[in-house]
Amino acid sequence: PQTDIVFLKVHKSASSTVMNILFRFGETHNLTFAFPVGGGNQLYYPHHFLARFVQGFSPRSPRRFNILCHHMRFLQPEVQKVVPSSAIYFSILRNPVQLMESSFVYYKGASAFSRVRSLEEFLSQPDRYYNRTSGDRHYAKNLMTFDFGFNPDGDVSPERVQLMIRAIEASFNFLLISEYFDESMVLLKEMLCWDLDSVVFFPLNARDKSTKSPLSDSVVEKIKAWNRLDWEIYTHFNRTFWERIDRDIGRERMQREVKALRARQAELARICLQGMGSVAPKDIKDSSLRPLQHGGARILGYNLRQGLDKETERSCRRLVTPELQYSSALYKKQFAPKSP
């Protein structure tokens, strides 16, 4: 199994669920994480990543970490200073239409969104509300382009789009697609030579359907046009995702693998969860399992079944622990003061 991994955690793209998978694998295999200095959950985002943002990194004695997976704005030469040269690089993309709808609700306080009542209102005159010089502009335009390290306001000529896509292909071994999350987990398992239980998951940081609103066709087209760079990246890698599946796994085997993944998930839901699924934040009984609530989104969580034996309780808890709590527990463990 691969143990040296760089995951570019793209915002609002089911990346918290992927991060939980990496946390669990790292914890089980006693791997080291490249944590932000002082803990926290972002590597000085939205600045481009620098090696010195990592706790325990020193240019004089370059220590290599197994897994780099916290939010960052990608800059490969700096990333290479903190992970082994053998590391596998991957990321995840989401349809920019759903991504923008999610971003609007989640980052309602961002300067571009704070003065409008709806996404439609913003898209009717985006240049009126969007300011290229504001420090949080990326939440409102080409968010994936920005996270990959490029300029979200860059021109959208075919040449520039090609350059961006080639640069991503040169840096990353593969990209997952959040709309095909189960298939993505099978691909991840294949590429990293992991077993099924390593990639099984319960969705984390998902929001309540009541805060989601359907989008009209005209709004969808406006989102695509406004996020043209994201749209080009997404359509390209959505296509190559399926080409890779056809080449490396095949559709029939993929169907079998997805079926096995879903069956294992259902089994774990029966073992671990009260009521089999996610619940609203107010109904989460154990406050240590309550995810951070942000913007206008209501982020769902889970209740564990009572009376589980110690070992089962521990593995079930790992599956449902929200990102911030899990990250801070692993940070404390990795940087625990050495006993005299």
Side-chain angles (χ1 to χ4, degrees):
Q2 290 286 346
T3 54
D4 299 324
I5 292 155
V6 173
F7 170 55
L8 178 63
K9 186 175 187 286
V10 170
H11 286 75
K12 313 311 317 147
S13 304
S15 55
S16 295
T17 307
V18 178
M19 199 176 191
N20 175 273
I21 287 167
L22 296 174
F23 280 166
R24 281 171 12 226
F25 187 86
E27 185 177 22
T28 310
H29 294 81
N30 224 358
L31 305 177
T32 56
F33 290 89
F35 283 107
V37 169
N41 61 324
Q42 300 200 339
L43 290 151
Y44 217 56
Y45 187 87
H47 298 275
H48 272 106
F49 176 81
L50 295 175
R52 61 184 171 81
F53 299 160
V54 172
Q55 177 87 45
F57 171 80
S58 146
R60 286 181 301 288
S61 58
R63 175 184 174 189
R64 300 281 194 239
F65 298 88
N66 300 115
I67 299 177
L68 174 59
C69 62
H70 286 72
H71 273 309
M72 64 170 159
R73 189 172 182 208
F74 190 66
L75 187 60
Q76 190 162 18
E78 288 290 316
V79 169
Q80 286 168 331
K81 295 176 185 177
V82 298
V83 295
S85 56
S86 58
I88 298 276
Y89 288 67
F90 77 99
S91 186
I92 187 164
L93 301 175
R94 183 181 185 186
N95 185 316
V97 175
Q98 279 72 49
L99 182 109
M100 183 155 200
E101 187 274 334
S102 175
S103 192
F104 180 79
V105 174
Y106 203 79
Y107 301 114
K108 190 67 184 75
S111 56
F113 294 150
S114 59
R115 292 180 295 139
V116 294
R117 284 186 303 278
S118 66
L119 187 52
E120 286 84 337
E121 190 182 340
F122 172 80
L123 290 161
S124 66
Q125 299 174 281
D127 290 314
R128 185 179 160 193
Y129 306 107
Y130 178 81
N131 178 354
R132 285 177 170 219
T133 60
S134 75
D136 60 2
R137 77 190 195 286
H138 50 283
Y139 293 124
K141 186 178 190 181
N142 290 317
L143 180 50
M144 294 190 289
T145 301
F146 183 87
D147 284 355
F148 275 94
F150 305 109
N151 176 9
D153 298 310
D155 79 273
V156 294
S157 66
E159 296 76 27
R160 181 163 185 277
V161 167
Q162 269 313 303
L163 279 173
M164 260 181 16
I165 285 171
R166 281 203 206 108
I168 294 171
E169 286 179 329
S171 300
F172 289 83
N173 298 85
F174 59 100
L175 271 73
L176 308 174
I177 301 289
S178 68
E179 281 74 20
Y180 304 104
F181 198 82
D182 292 352
E183 290 84 354
S184 289
M185 291 308 97
V186 172
L187 184 66
L188 184 69
K189 175 171 88 75
E190 281 295 297
M191 302 301 292
L192 301 179
C193 300
W194 288 6
D195 62 7
L196 180 67
D197 269 11
S198 296
V199 299
V200 82
F201 65 93
F202 295 143
L204 295 176
N205 209 28
R207 68 189 163 111
D208 190 347
K209 292 218 172 17
S210 70
T211 62
K212 296 181 186 179
S213 44
L215 303 170
S216 69
D217 291 349
S218 73
V219 166
V220 166
E221 291 311 313
K222 282 177 182 170
I223 292 177
K224 286 183 195 173
W226 178 247
N227 296 281
R228 179 68 190 281
L229 295 173
D230 272 10
W231 183 251
E232 296 288 350
I233 290 174
Y234 176 78
T235 48
H236 173 83
F237 286 104
N238 189 8
R239 191 178 67 248
T240 57
F241 175 81
W242 291 102
E243 286 168 3
R244 165 162 260 159
I245 283 170
D246 289 337
R247 190 182 69 230
D248 296 351
I249 299 174
R251 298 282 169 120
E252 275 181 40
R253 188 174 145 225
M254 175 54 86
Q255 278 180 326
R256 289 199 303 276
E257 295 266 1
V258 165
K259 210 172 150 184
L261 177 68
R262 288 175 182 163
R264 179 64 178 138
Q265 221 158 339
E267 183 187 2
L268 283 168
R270 282 193 298 274
I271 294 168
C272 296
L273 302 181
Q274 268 180 42
M276 293 291 290
S278 53
V279 297
K282 64 175 178 25
D283 298 324
I284 301 168
K285 300 188 180 83
D286 180 342
S287 60
S288 71
L289 295 179
R290 194 170 294 137
L292 174 76
Q293 302 299 313
H294 202 288
R298 274 215 299 280
I299 308 297
L300 304 171
Y302 297 91
N303 286 318
L304 291 179
R305 285 183 63 159
Q306 301 295 300
L308 298 171
D309 66 78
K310 223 175 179 152
E311 194 46 48
T312 308
E313 207 266 351
R314 189 156 67 230
S315 51
C316 288
R317 182 172 283 275
R318 281 177 180 159
L319 277 161
V320 299
T321 298
E323 172 187 328
L324 300 189
Q325 288 93 310
Y326 207 155
S327 180
S328 107
L330 290 173
Y331 176 83
K332 285 186 187 123
K333 191 170 159 187
Q334 187 166 309
F335 295 104
K338 302 278 182 284
S339 49

